[in-house]
Structure formats: structure tokens, C-alpha cells
Amino acid sequence: LYAVYDRSGLAHKVFLASSTDNGTSWSEAEITSDQDQINPSIAIDSQNNLHIAWQGKVGTSTEYQIRYTKYDGSSFSTIEDFTADSDKNQEIPVIAADSQNKAHLAWVGRGVVASSTGDSIYYVNNSGSGWSARETIKAGEFHSTFGKSSLNQFSLTPDSQNVLHFVWFEKPPTDATKFRYRKVDPALNSGDWSAFEELTNVSNQTQSSIAVDSQDKLHIVWHQPSSGNSIIKYLKCSGTCNVNSIENLDEETNNFVVAHSSIALDSSDNIYVVWKRWTTKPLSQREFKNGAWQDVKTLIQDFSSQGFPNALWSVNNQPKTGYAFVFYEGTELKFYGSEDLTWE
């Protein structure tokens, strides 16, 4: 088991933690001694190589670049730096590995306030012989406002055919948050990529998470406030996404919620969703088994500073049964595994 994170108490350095006993004990390795390194993302390929990306400041630069290293189990490769524009922040990288061990890396490139150049999603891949030319998954449409990006979070995953699935939130300056989806076949030219699908158009949507099942159906969860309530939403897509099929998994009568939902599947396509409810309630979970959603479960006794559960799942590494996730509690990063958790 592996997890990556940055530690604010050490000037935001990035670390890798590993466990060989199903999360009972962990060892830690420093990925870089540089400071101002944040928002790491991790992927594992079928040869157990780790692909790690994050945003960090390099040398005397005041802007963030996207940085990458590979870990083969004994050492880290030389750090590589990516930037679309050295004068603008490059942020929130997301990395994944497909069934052919190709690494897929995407990130947000910040636009300019009051400029027609908006925030964009950039993409590169690497089959082992070097990184591809940078492509644009989402061209700049809305500019940043008040120092914040209009693209504040996105998710991606490959399926068994190595088609990439992207979902993201985008906040226009004077409109509700747009939740969008696009799939990309890296074997095709950009002109053959799918059109954008707009899933919802509601203010303050946040925190998407996606996974694919053995039939390459896409499963999406996210948090959406509505009429003063806070809702965990779920949608299954097969080919295209039918927004009329969106389901509510949980609803709280409080829109001030820390509802960072995360989704995973096991090898039997059972679905597991975990989330933080709100500040006076604990982490919760709901699962889809035997053709139906089960009741919401409370997983851990209440602690007000719990949050950010991140389920362990990828196309190359998923549980045989059960589920697992990491989360923070106060200043500690913790691991949770279900009682039926087993691995292939």
C-alpha cells in the first residue's frame, strides 16, 4: 500500500508512505527536500512502478510548476518539471497509469485575470520512451477571479481500453459551477476526442471522484449543495452520461459541509463511496451490493478535524473484496480498511 502527501509542518515537502502489512505499520520516504511542494498525486502500473506528480516551486521561481518522479521500489528517478507558461501557476496535477503501463498526466494551467486567456487543462503521456507533446484537454474559457482558478478540481481515469475519462468543475465569473465530462482516446488525434458533456450547472459543486468497472462503465460521485442542504451525488455512465439518472446517496440539512466524497470498486464491481459529513459528524460510507445501495454506515467515531477520505483504487490495483482509504484526523494521516478487505 502506498500514499503520498505534503506536510505543512515541514514547509510543505512531499513524502511517500508505504505499508507491507495491510496498513498496520508504515514507513516514510522524502520525495524531495525542496519546500513549497504541494498537491501530490500517485498512480501504480502493473509492474509496481509508482508514478508521482505534484506542484512545486523550483529554485527562486515564485510560480508553481508540475513535477514528476517514478519510484521503482528502491529509488526515485530524477525529478522532471513541466510548465505551460513559466510566468503562470501550473496546479493540481492528476496522474494515472493504464493497462499498458502508460503514464497519463494532466494539470491545470492558470489563465490571467480579466484576460481572454482562461484556465486550461493540459495533458501529456509517457509509454517509457519520453513524454508526449503537451495537448489541451480543456482550452481556456473562463479567467481566474480573486486569485482563484476557475478550474478548482478535476478527476481522470483510464478504462480497460485505455480511453481516458475526465470530469471537472469550472466556475464562470458570473454563473453557477459547471460540471463537465469528456473522454479522450490517446490513440486518436485531438479532433476525434468526444465533445463536452455538461452534467450539472449548480453553484458551489465540489470534489468529484471517478472509477470504472469491469465493463468500462464510469461511476462518478461529487458534492452538491441544494436549497440549504448538502448532497452526495452519484452517476453511472455507459458510453454517454444520462443526467436524468443522477442519484442522491446522502443528504444533510446543512450546506456548510466538508463532504469530500471518494469512490472505489472491488474485483466483483461492488461500489464503495466514502465521505466526510459535516464538522460535528464522522466519516460515512455507502456501498452498492447485490443490485442495491445499502444503508449509510458510520465508520469512525466523531472527530471534528477528520476529512479528505481518499479511496484506494485504480485499474491496475483494486481490492479483491472490500475497500480501503486514507484520511486525515487532526495533524495525522490515517488508514482505514474494511473488515472484508483482501487483495489479489
Side-chain angles (χ1 to χ4, degrees):
L1 300 175
Y2 297 96
V4 289
Y5 47 92
D6 66 84
R7 293 171 62 182
S8 59
L10 291 176
H12 286 293
K13 297 180 180 180
V14 176
F15 293 85
L16 169 70
S18 60
S19 173
T20 58
D21 53 11
N22 283 331
T24 301
S25 60
W26 294 81
S27 60
E28 183 180 70
E30 185 180 86
I31 295 176
T32 173
S33 60
D34 295 338
Q35 299 181 8
D36 289 320
Q37 314 293 303
I38 59 175
N39 291 336
S41 177
I42 188 172
I44 188 169
D45 63 31
S46 63
Q47 297 178 338
N48 293 325
N49 293 309
L50 301 182
H51 303 268
I52 304 167
W54 68 97
Q55 68 182 73
K57 295 179 180 178
V58 182
T60 59
S61 175
T62 59
E63 308 295 334
Y64 285 107
Q65 295 184 34
I66 302 304
R67 315 193 77 190
Y68 165 86
T69 186
K70 186 167 95 171
Y71 182 70
D72 62 8
S74 59
S75 62
F76 296 98
S77 67
T78 301
I79 293 174
E80 301 177 65
D81 297 321
F82 298 83
T83 181
D85 189 328
S86 60
D87 295 328
K88 302 183 183 72
N89 279 329
Q90 312 300 304
E91 301 175 336
I92 53 173
V94 179
I95 197 163
D98 65 24
S99 62
Q100 301 300 312
N101 298 325
K102 178 185 287 187
H104 301 272
L105 173 60
W107 70 93
V108 170
R110 290 286 296 275
V112 181
V113 175
S115 168
S116 59
T117 303
D119 303 328
S120 302
I121 300 177
Y122 298 116
Y123 164 77
V124 293
N125 63 64
N126 191 334
S127 299
S129 57
W131 292 95
S132 65
R134 177 173 55 85
E135 301 178 67
T136 302
I137 298 296
K138 167 62 178 67
E141 183 177 357
F142 307 112
H143 61 71
S144 306
T145 56
F146 304 109
K148 297 180 180 180
S149 175
S150 64
L151 284 158
N152 60 10
Q153 192 262 342
F154 73 98
S155 302
L156 77 87
T157 186
D159 62 24
S160 67
Q161 302 303 308
N162 302 325
V163 173
L164 301 182
H165 301 267
F166 288 80
V167 293
W168 68 90
F169 300 104
E170 192 158 9
K171 179 65 175 72
T174 59
D175 197 1
T177 305
K178 298 178 182 296
F179 189 24
R180 290 173 162 177
Y181 163 70
R182 192 181 198 188
K183 60 183 177 181
V184 176
D185 188 340
L188 302 177
N189 296 321
S190 59
D192 295 317
W193 295 353
S194 73
F196 300 125
E197 295 182 48
E198 190 162 303
L199 303 181
T200 57
N201 189 0
V202 178
S203 295
N204 300 320
Q205 299 173 97
T206 57
Q207 297 300 322
S208 67
S209 177
I210 58 176
V212 292
D213 63 25
S214 61
Q215 303 301 311
D216 285 338
K217 294 177 180 178
L218 182 68
H219 302 264
I220 312 171
V221 293
W222 69 99
H223 167 235
Q224 178 179 297
S226 177
S227 301
N229 295 347
S230 185
I231 306 172
I232 300 298
K233 294 282 190 175
Y234 165 80
L235 176 64
K236 180 170 72 173
C237 303
S238 180
T240 59
C241 297
N242 181 2
V243 297
N244 294 320
S245 298
I246 293 174
E247 300 178 56
N248 292 353
L249 297 189
D250 186 58
E251 184 169 353
E252 297 281 347
T253 56
N254 186 331
N255 63 344
F256 297 102
V257 72
V258 186
H260 301 279
S261 56
S262 186
I263 192 168
L265 292 87
D266 65 20
S267 61
S268 297
D269 286 342
N270 294 310
I271 307 167
Y272 304 92
V273 181
V274 294
W275 66 91
K276 168 67 176 173
R277 294 168 73 183
W278 49 289
T279 54
T280 61
K281 292 191 176 181
L283 292 163
S284 299
Q285 178 263 355
R286 194 170 187 186
E287 57 196 60
F288 188 90
K289 285 185 175 181
N290 302 318
W293 286 105
Q294 307 302 301
D295 292 338
V296 175
K297 296 178 182 178
T298 295
L299 298 181
I300 302 169
Q301 288 301 108
D302 172 41
F303 187 79
S304 62
S305 292
Q306 290 172 342
F308 294 97
N310 193 340
L312 278 63
W313 178 90
S314 74
V315 292
N316 292 313
N317 186 29
Q318 59 184 307
K320 182 177 180 180
T321 59
Y323 62 96
F325 62 93
V326 294
F327 67 101
Y328 78 75
E329 185 172 274
T331 59
E332 296 182 314
L333 185 67
K334 293 193 171 184
F335 170 84
Y336 182 95
S338 63
E339 292 182 355
D340 61 342
L341 177 64
T342 61
W343 299 90
E344 297 285 0

